[in-house]
Amino acid sequence: MVGFIILAVLSFASAVGVVVARTPVHSALSLIGNVVTLAVFYLLLNAEFMAAAQVIVYAGAIMVLFLFVVTLLTAGKEERERPESLAGQRALSGVLAVAAGVLLAGIAVRDSAGPLVTRFSAGYGSLSAMGRVLWGPDFDYLAVVALMLLTAALAVLVLNRRAEDPRPAAAKEDAS
Amino acid sequence: MMHFLEPEIVATVGILATLVAAMLVRPRSTVPYWFGLVFSAAALVRALTLHQSTHLYGGVVLGDSYSIVVTVFTLLAVMAGLLLAWDPERYGAEFPALMQLAGVGAMVMGFAGNLILLFLGLELLSLPLYVLAASRRTPLGGEAGLKYLLIGAFSSGILLFGAALLYGATGSMTFVNFTAVHVVPGLMAAGLGLLLVGLLYKLAIMPFHMWVPDVYEGSPTPVTAFMAFGTKVGAAAALLRVLAFGFSLSAAWWGLMLGYLAVLTMIAGNMVALPQRDLKRLLAWSGVGNAGYVLVGIASHNVVGAQAALFYLLPYGLAILLAFTVVRILEGREEAPVTLASLKGLAYRQPWLAVGFLVAMLSLAGIPLTAGFIGKFYLVRGAIAADQWGVAVGLVVATIVGLAVYFRPVQQMFAPGEGATGRFTVGTGIVLAVAALGTLFIGIYPEPVLHAVIQSARFTWLH
């Protein structure tokens, strides 16, 4: 329980850091902290493979990519935010967010009915057990996630296309 | 056993075939569009010939006549979107594949029987639409894409939080297992509330509708047409399924809440549509109002209401497709904004286009002999059967406001003046004809369609 609380505090603090940090590099570093604490959570939940994948894929590959992009694009540039059009918007939304969080936390504390009993198969969380689930009863999830990755690949193609708004008119003249 | 998912499998194979075709042919070819259209039509035919129902993976995948109706509606929206966008030079070779992907997402939401599949379907529906919304290289297009992405991601987060709380309260992800736990105090109520917020965002119900006008205005019109029909079908179908399968015992609690939201959305949506000048924004607000009508059926928590909500999606979808087709024809290749002023004199310049637009407006307003009237009639019946008289009165008030909303464009159409003139293409002509004839057919002889839909939503509340 103590370990859980320490981890929860760390995870929460790093998540807040992602949003609050002024420079993008600090945000990215906080995100790494958050990813690693989540990996430890997975370990505590007996999901060893998930924990390893989380560290390797997110903290290892994706965050390094993030950091590269951040350093290449915005390093050193201090962006000034424009003044907000709605006065007091940020303070009000902050108060409301904290109130919603307190409400939900209160409900969670009041209604905590003790540990939840769920049925785990033997070797739960290991690579082979996960493979057996993904290619067996949970195959539908796998298929939909595959389609989502396909969408992401297509999205790169579409969004990366150069701006061609002034072009059609010129192209038509060339053709005629 | 997989028999029942054949329409979805055909549609998925269609996506891959479309991509391979786009790779093999030259960049400006219409071949990928043909592939998308033919495979969607094949999936539609397969869906219409399916009969028996199965529950796969222990109630995770619910293949029944309800999911077939959702699949059919979605495929209609996909095909309409493809036909409206039949211009490879303008929309690119990836457009058909993305449109089909979004369609498969809506179909997944139709047969989802647990929270994981519901979330995955929602994301698969939304991701391609984020991309398509941003595909117009104008400031408005960028704004549409970014707004949709940020607000969509935010609402997905809320939905996931709700799903986590529900899992924490029940120890199960499957809808039917939720009925075992009492909702009203505590975790279940919080989980259900957050889940509803996530879904109502997608359906564009009133406090969660802010993104709709900007996104609809900034997206390319074929994408907007799909969003107005396909997204609402997916979100409404999933909402109805979650509430009917998982929370039928606590219906009084959420029925009341959704009833208030429905009345607010219907009346305020139509009120705000009233002063709009841009036709796309007017239709966007009308879409918000119509989502409120759909919610009336869901809020009434009885079989009549559920059937009415599912059925109303079709008249609304056909009418909004029709209206966006007219926008698409009038805006031309340059996608110039279509305002009410550009409708001036349309009835004299292009009478057929004007007839199509007139049918759309009459159906959205709910005039008898159009499909919209039948849909609203059943919604009122559902609300009355649930003893929700306030909601029924709200629907009538909203319809009266709606009359004024839809009368203004029609009046402009007959007013003298020089507005825009559009050119029909084969694709837009087909959508215009099919949607207009469908609207009139359902309005005059609703029996066959109504019967099929009513049969498919009959399982509701029997659990």
Side-chain angles (χ1 to χ4, degrees):
Chain A
M1 193 61 191
V2 178
F4 173 82
I5 290 175
I6 295 173
L7 266 178
V9 169
L10 278 179
S11 169
F12 188 73
S14 54
V16 170
V18 176
V19 188
V20 173
R22 302 303 294 176
T23 43
V25 179
H26 293 165
S27 278
L29 289 173
S30 302
L31 192 51
I32 292 182
N34 190 30
V35 163
V36 171
T37 47
L38 281 186
V40 183
F41 269 129
Y42 292 146
L43 267 185
L44 291 181
L45 293 170
N46 286 336
E48 293 93 359
F49 175 69
M50 277 292 286
Q54 171 93 355
V55 172
I56 294 172
V57 175
Y58 283 95
I62 292 180
M63 285 319 300
V64 170
L65 210 63
F66 260 33
L67 282 176
F68 264 109
V69 172
V70 165
T71 32
L72 284 179
L73 289 181
T74 57
K77 267 188 253 171
E78 179 72 22
E79 297 232 353
R80 282 276 126 222
E81 285 182 30
R82 272 187 253 164
E84 306 194 5
S85 46
L86 281 174
Q89 185 187 23
R90 186 167 294 195
L92 184 64
S93 61
V95 170
L96 287 179
V98 169
V102 168
L103 181 71
L104 285 172
I107 288 174
V109 169
R110 200 192 66 183
D111 271 29
S112 54
L116 200 65
V117 183
T118 43
R119 288 165 287 121
F120 286 139
S121 50
Y124 169 83
S126 72
L127 187 52
S128 67
M130 229 169 121
R132 224 170 279 127
V133 168
L134 274 186
W135 290 92
D138 287 355
F139 180 71
D140 43 351
Y141 307 152
L142 188 70
V144 178
V145 170
L147 286 177
M148 270 157 69
L149 289 177
L150 186 66
T151 311
L154 280 173
V156 174
L157 281 179
V158 172
L159 295 179
N160 241 357
R161 203 174 291 143
R162 286 187 192 291
E164 44 187 329
D165 227 23
R167 207 192 51 83
K172 250 184 277 170
E173 281 168 19
D174 288 350
S176 57
Chain B
M1 197 170 89
M2 293 295 278
H3 195 56
F4 210 87
L5 291 181
E6 271 180 24
E8 286 78 12
I9 293 172
V10 171
T12 310
V13 171
I15 295 168
L16 302 177
T18 308
L19 284 175
V20 173
M23 192 176 73
L24 294 179
V25 297
R26 66 201 162 72
R28 304 291 182 210
S29 160
T30 53
V31 170
Y33 286 74
W34 278 112
F35 266 77
L37 192 66
V38 168
F39 272 95
S40 298
L44 185 67
V45 170
R46 190 70 200 92
L48 288 173
T49 49
L50 275 175
H51 288 299
Q52 72 280 52
S53 72
T54 40
H55 290 190
L56 300 176
Y57 306 122
V60 172
V61 172
L62 303 165
D64 47 24
S65 45
Y66 181 80
S67 75
I68 291 183
V69 170
V70 175
T71 301
V72 169
F73 288 0
T74 308
L75 285 169
L76 287 178
V78 170
M79 287 164 74
L82 285 175
L83 284 170
L84 291 183
W86 205 270
D87 185 356
E89 210 166 313
R90 180 72 195 77
Y91 294 106
E94 298 87 4
F95 184 91
L98 284 171
M99 193 62 111
Q100 285 167 280
L101 278 164
V104 172
M107 293 179 214
V108 171
M109 290 183 84
F111 65 64
N114 82 351
L115 292 172
I116 299 181
L117 208 54
L118 170 69
F119 173 70
L120 289 176
L122 185 77
E123 286 301 297
L124 185 58
L125 169 66
S126 305
L127 279 177
L129 288 178
Y130 299 151
V131 180
L132 289 173
S135 64
R136 222 164 87 171
R137 307 265 148 205
T138 57
L140 273 183
E143 186 193 343
L146 195 62
K147 241 178 203 166
Y148 200 21
L149 173 70
L150 286 181
I151 294 182
F154 192 67
S155 68
S156 295
I158 295 178
L159 185 138
L160 269 186
F161 195 15
L165 290 185
L166 286 179
Y167 180 68
T170 62
S172 169
M173 287 281 185
T174 315
F175 298 159
V176 284
N177 295 342
F178 294 160
T179 36
V181 182
H182 274 295
V183 166
V184 174
L187 268 191
M188 281 295 273
L192 175 60
L194 293 175
L195 189 77
L196 286 180
V197 168
L199 285 172
L200 294 181
Y201 255 111
K202 285 291 159 202
L203 194 58
I205 295 300
M206 208 44 151
F208 318 112
H209 67 285
M210 307 80 68
W211 53 277
V212 174
D214 292 330
V215 172
Y216 278 27
E217 188 189 10
S219 307
T221 308
V223 180
T224 312
F226 177 82
M227 272 183 211
F229 188 11
T231 309
K232 285 210 202 312
V233 166
L239 188 62
L240 192 54
R241 175 91 88 181
V242 162
L243 292 174
F245 274 54
F247 300 96
S248 50
L249 297 180
S250 53
W253 187 74
W254 52 260
L256 192 68
M257 187 172 74
L258 292 184
Y260 280 120
L261 288 183
V263 172
L264 174 72
T265 309
M266 285 186 296
I267 296 180
N270 279 320
M271 294 274 246
V272 185
L274 206 50
Q276 301 296 327
R277 291 179 185 285
D278 186 285
L279 198 53
K280 263 172 122 174
R281 286 185 86 86
L282 188 146
L283 290 172
W285 283 107
S286 139
V288 172
N290 275 292
Y293 293 139
V294 174
L295 197 62
V296 168
I298 299 175
S300 69
H301 60 79
N302 55 30
V303 182
V304 187
Q307 291 166 338
L310 189 61
F311 175 72
Y312 188 74
L313 288 168
L314 185 63
Y316 157 72
L318 288 177
I320 207 89
L321 279 182
L322 198 52
F324 276 119
T325 307
V326 174
V327 173
R328 172 88 192 105
I329 292 173
L330 285 179
E331 71 183 4
R333 283 207 59 182
E334 285 70 39
E335 300 187 345
V338 179
T339 57
L340 286 187
S342 34
L343 286 173
K344 274 196 174 135
L346 188 72
Y348 313 108
R349 281 195 311 278
Q350 294 185 295
W352 285 111
L353 196 58
V355 167
F357 194 68
L358 185 65
V359 171
M361 291 298 116
L362 290 182
S363 184
L364 284 173
I367 303 292
L369 292 186
T370 58
F373 172 73
I374 309 284
K376 289 205 177 77
F377 174 73
Y378 277 92
L379 286 171
V380 171
R381 256 190 52 183
I384 291 175
D387 226 10
Q388 295 177 328
W389 288 93
V391 177
V393 171
L395 197 149
V396 173
V397 171
T399 308
I400 293 170
V401 179
L403 280 179
V405 172
Y406 303 119
F407 180 69
R408 281 179 67 229
V410 172
Q411 181 202 18
Q412 290 289 318
M413 214 162 63
F414 288 98
E418 278 307 299
T421 308
R423 215 163 46 82
F424 280 91
T425 60
V426 179
T428 50
I430 292 173
V431 179
L432 194 74
V434 170
L437 291 176
T439 302
L440 291 176
F441 176 77
I442 296 175
I444 293 166
Y445 181 54
E447 284 307 317
V449 181
L450 197 61
H451 185 72
V453 173
I454 279 181
Q455 282 304 320
S456 71
R458 180 151 287 174
F459 63 82
T460 316
W461 279 276
L462 292 185
H463 285 274

